[in-house]
Amino acid sequence: MRITCPLCGERDRREFYYVGDAVALNRPDPEAGDVVWDDYVHNRDNPAGVTRDLWYHESGCASWIVVTRNTVTHEVLETALASDVKEATS
């Protein structure tokens, strides 16, 4: 699989470290309570199809990247810096 880093260009996926669902960008308020935090930390969907994942460009520029991909076909549909995605959803 090839991932296009917004800063470095197209790279082999072995340069990146997979972190998980990009839900990590939507961290609850610190005072949200135990039930909300338990759900955030422990529960994830496992969809077949299009997902948004968080990857770290470990062997490159050290950027956090949101990768939109299809888990069935392994096609990478879009990549963006996580900081840009976070700003757009705030």
Side-chain angles (χ1 to χ4, degrees):
M1 182 166 73
R2 306 285 291 174
I3 296 174
T4 301
C5 172
L7 300 177
C8 303
E10 188 175 297
R11 299 287 193 264
D12 188 87
R13 83 124 214 104
R14 291 175 288 187
E15 286 191 17
F16 299 85
Y17 178 77
Y18 173 78
V19 180
D21 189 341
V23 71
L25 296 175
N26 302 318
R27 182 181 298 244
D29 184 87
E31 304 300 320
D34 292 344
V35 172
V36 172
W37 274 98
D38 182 64
D39 184 57
Y40 171 77
V41 171
H42 299 289
N43 297 319
R44 297 286 183 267
D45 291 332
N46 188 18
V50 177
T51 64
R52 285 183 357 138
D53 304 321
L54 194 56
W55 293 71
Y56 178 65
H57 197 174
E58 184 174 45
S59 297
C61 63
S63 292
W64 291 93
I65 300 168
V66 174
V67 177
T68 304
R69 66 187 181 97
N70 188 316
T71 60
V72 175
T73 65
H74 302 291
E75 177 185 10
V76 174
L77 305 169
E78 180 179 44
T79 60
L81 292 174
S83 59
D84 293 344
V85 173
K86 180 70 175 161
E87 287 176 11
T89 59
S90 296

